[in-house]
Amino acid sequence: MDIKVLFEKFKKIPLAFLPTPLEYAENLTKLLKGPRIFFKRDDCTGLAFGGNKTRKLEYIMADVLEKQADVIITIGGLQSNWARQTAAAAKKHGLKIILVLNGKEPEEYQGNLLLNSILGCDIRFKPYTDEEEQREEAGETPITGGIAKEVKKIGNIPYIIPLGGCNPIGNLGYINAVKELKKQLEKKSININYIISAVGTGGTQAGIELGLRLYEMNTKCYGISISRHIKPKSQEIADLCNQTVKYFELECSQFSPDEIVVNYDYIGKGYAIPTNKCIEAIRTVAQIEGVILDTVYTGKAMAGLIDLIKKGKFKKNENIVFLHTGGEIANFAYNKFFK
Ligand SMILES: *Cc1c(COP(=O)(O)O)cnc(C)c1O
């Protein structure tokens, strides 16, 4: 199917403020004396403080409503931006939401957890393993399956959304974002060489890779991973791209892992453990651009970008779009790193 036809057939539910701004980060560009850097402000999608997940949810919620589900079930970390945006999307459409958050209930509610409480979610604190999380991603639902049964028993219709909205329907969000970005760049007569994005589940990068190919853009996506995985992320992202091509029968060639670039050099000790360079990058960008990044994703991605520029990875005459995927709400739960 042609991508244009797909977007005419598969209508999204509006949840985000689009298009998000594309702004030239002049001070950061000057400071680093490297390529020109632009920020794509997907932190400004707006839904309960926004972030990249809102774009995926515009398509996933369309499917939820089409299936007439009335209870959404999903999983995430204690400070999951995904959980918060999904909760807001559910509430906006009058649906119940059950969140399974990975960990013990903290004494104090902060950041995303605070917002999830305000949003009136049914929150279940349950530590789960990486293996269980991977099985969830594969659709086996060891965590959410039991809850879905419970929901059905009382006569409701559950809808399980995988972690991060990482599936073919969710991928449409970033295919659409590339279309939006292409238009903005054409208006400003700018050609970009790279899109830099933090990589969690890899769904965002998969959508970008698909979008770049479908809209025939001569731009590379450069992912910066913020967590370690059992399988290489480039493999998972290529698989996800191919699944999406198959699911929607898109007119698009197959993806292979060696075409997908994911850097693992800026993770530090692990997921959600801030590195010194990450904290430094957050402070730098805040103090010269007035833009707030986050400790889990965009701070690490920015630390990577700054280091890669210093190492001469990008040419001075190149243009880079740094995708600001949001997440700054979680900073309130990481306050001790900023004292
Ligand atoms: C989820 C998230 C990401 C990563 O997106 P994936 O599609 O899971 O790779 C990046 N930044 C922020 C702020 C996020 O919440």
Side-chain angles (χ1 to χ4, degrees), residues 138 144 182 331:
T144 54
K182 189 181 180 192
N331 286 348

Side-chain angles (χ1 to χ4, degrees), residues 149-168:
K149 261 192 209 146
E150 182 195 305
V151 166
K152 272 189 203 153
K153 226 188 232 165
I154 55 168
N156 289 316
I157 306 166
Y159 188 109
I160 298 171
I161 316 181
L163 176 70
C166 185
N167 65 16

Side-chain angles (χ1 to χ4, degrees), residues 52-53 56 81-82 164 198-204 294 297-298 325-327:
N52 64 335
K53 304 308 186 305
K56 306 182 187 193
N81 301 305
W82 159 248
V199 176
T201 62
T204 298
D294 81 290
Y297 296 95
T298 53
T325 43

